[in-house]
Amino acid sequence: MGEQRPLGHGEAWLGVADCFLASSALLTRCRVHVPKERLGMRLHFEDGTSARVYRETRLGSGLAKNPCTLVVVFRLRLVGGPGHALFRKESLLNTPLFVGFPGFASKLWLAHDERDRYRGVYEWDGPDRAEHYARCLWRVLALVSVPGSIRYAVLPGLRRDDFLADPGRAEGLGPDGTEAWWRVQDTT
């Protein structure tokens, strides 16, 4: 994974448009599921923050053939206090912006942490596809996020649930540097 930056406007918005069309077909055929088993689970991160799962979205079985975990973080502009509850409800409407991207398998939606950052923890089919999605998503998030708050970590060869069960398995897979926002310590 190289320098983190969004795709060019044209390529990113074309990716989002293609995704939206594919999402419509998936939703119409009832291929998108919203399981409840992980609701309320709290993820504790190495940067000292934690956040609870408020939704899961799964396509089919939610398992990828060439698995990788993708963690995305951002901080919304102008959202605080009761606005967080409103965002969590509204965010269901964002589902067509990701389920139709090639390689999507599943997503855990995390509520805001102690620094008002939101995270998504995904299982993706293929690290290149996960990277492409993250760089397209950046353009969408940039419309509503604090500048400089968008980051992502692609962890190739690692299923999301294995990452959560044994965070040590991600050693050496994430972004270089000392940033710990994506590293899970444990779950409760």
Side-chain angles (χ1 to χ4, degrees), residues 157-179:
L158 186 57
R159 288 199 182 284
R160 182 199 67 200
D161 290 348
D162 293 342
F163 168 61
L164 297 177
D166 181 7
R169 294 181 67 174
E171 191 64 38
L173 296 179
D176 294 335
T178 58
E179 292 186 30

Side-chain angles (χ1 to χ4, degrees), residues 33-100:
H33 308 285
V34 185
K36 306 231 183 282
E37 297 84 15
R38 291 178 181 83
L39 296 185
M41 179 173 73
R42 184 165 287 276
L43 279 63
H44 301 267
F45 295 89
E46 286 188 12
D47 67 358
T49 63
S50 68
R52 69 174 178 76
V53 174
Y54 71 91
R55 182 178 301 125
E56 180 174 7
T57 303
R58 188 180 75 218
L59 185 59
S61 71
L63 298 175
K65 293 177 183 161
N66 178 19
C68 78
T69 297
L70 169 66
V71 185
V72 175
V73 68
F74 60 95
R75 185 167 172 238
L76 292 171
R77 267 184 289 196
L78 307 174
V79 175
H84 288 297
L86 181 62
F87 171 74
R88 288 191 302 273
K89 288 179 182 172
E90 173 281 328
S91 65
L92 183 63
L93 300 175
N94 298 330
T95 301
L97 298 175
F98 65 87
V99 296

Side-chain angles (χ1 to χ4, degrees), residues 149-160:
S149 71
I150 304 166
R151 296 279 181 267
Y152 62 90
V154 177
L155 312 174
L158 186 57
R159 288 199 182 284
R160 182 199 67 200

